[in-house]
Amino acid sequence: LLFDINRMLHSGIRIFRPRELARCASALASLGIRQPAMMYCIGAEAAKKVHDFKASQLAALLTAFATAGIQDSAMMQPVVAELTRKVSELTTAEIGQSAWALAALRLRSTSALGALSDVAAALGDEGSVAVAQVAWALDAAGLRRAAQMLLRSQTENQATDFCNVRPELLVAACILGEPQPAMEAK
């Protein structure tokens, strides 16, 4: 199967749709199959069709490359730019996964991280894991102040006392070294 997929990707015999590219990359990464040549072929094809991808497919593609530990800068630039443009279409989980992928790949795209931070800031209690992931990605990119501001906005919206702060946000704030007033025990 891998041989056939690889042959189709290399030869152009079959034209892959964005969904197929994202799923193929995700499958390879999830299975732990280390096939950099195949991932680069997927990346090259994805870069050509980047505008045809849905936001969820872009997030899956980035996550797959991050999981596989493969940096393909020729693919990452257009994919991250398109993801930034479509960030409002991401689900709560995809926001967190995209932020994790950017940090894991060491991509310091301030525009993408800023867009993810903006949509994460608008999430309610159900988005606390995604907010913590975005804060971690901001910090990993050297944007600690932005991470602290994101966490501050979430903790101010969530609780006025320590016992009601979501544990994900508490852990993220402690890692960043600045607990918010709502997180301080009274």
Side-chain angles (χ1 to χ4, degrees), residues 71-93:
Q71 290 198 354
D72 181 356
S73 59
M75 188 251 338
M76 295 298 165
Q77 289 178 338
V79 167
V80 170
E82 189 67 10
L83 181 72
T84 303
R85 199 174 71 70
K86 296 180 178 179
V87 74
S88 64
E89 300 169 22
L90 294 171
T91 66
T92 301

Side-chain angles (χ1 to χ4, degrees), residues 27-179:
L28 289 171
S30 296
L31 293 171
I33 299 171
R34 192 92 171 116
Q35 290 290 329
M38 192 178 305
M39 292 294 277
Y40 283 118
C41 288
I42 291 170
E45 192 69 21
K48 292 180 205 170
K49 301 175 180 183
V50 72
H51 300 295
D52 298 334
F53 278 79
K54 294 178 182 176
S56 60
Q57 295 164 345
L58 293 167
L61 192 64
L62 277 178
T63 302
F65 273 78
T67 301
I70 296 174
Q71 290 198 354
D72 181 356
S73 59
M75 188 251 338
M76 295 298 165
Q77 289 178 338
V79 167
V80 170
E82 189 67 10
L83 181 72
T84 303
R85 199 174 71 70
K86 296 180 178 179
V87 74
S88 64
E89 300 169 22
L90 294 171
T91 66
T92 301
E94 291 164 349
I95 291 166
Q97 291 166 355
S98 298
W100 173 83
L102 290 172
L105 290 166
R106 307 280 190 257
L107 296 173
R108 287 176 169 76
S109 172
T110 54
S111 59
L113 288 169
L116 287 167
S117 180
D118 290 345
V119 294
L123 298 174
D125 282 348
E126 75 282 349
S128 60
V129 172
V131 169
Q133 288 172 310
V134 172
W136 174 75
L138 287 165
D139 186 54
L143 303 169
R144 178 165 284 198
R145 196 80 184 113
Q148 290 169 333
M149 289 172 47
L150 174 62
L151 289 172
R152 183 174 293 122
S153 74
Q154 290 300 297
T155 56
E156 287 172 356
N157 293 339
Q158 275 199 3
T160 55
D161 82 74
F162 177 77
C163 296
N164 293 324
V165 175
R166 299 287 299 194
E168 304 85 24
L169 299 178
L170 180 61
V171 169
C174 290
I175 289 170
L176 293 176
E178 185 182 303

Side-chain angles (χ1 to χ4, degrees), residues 2-18:
L2 288 175
F3 175 77
D4 291 340
I5 293 170
N6 197 20
R7 186 174 51 82
M8 286 188 283
L9 282 167
H10 280 297
S11 66
I13 292 173
R14 184 170 188 303
I15 298 187
F16 288 86
R17 294 181 300 211

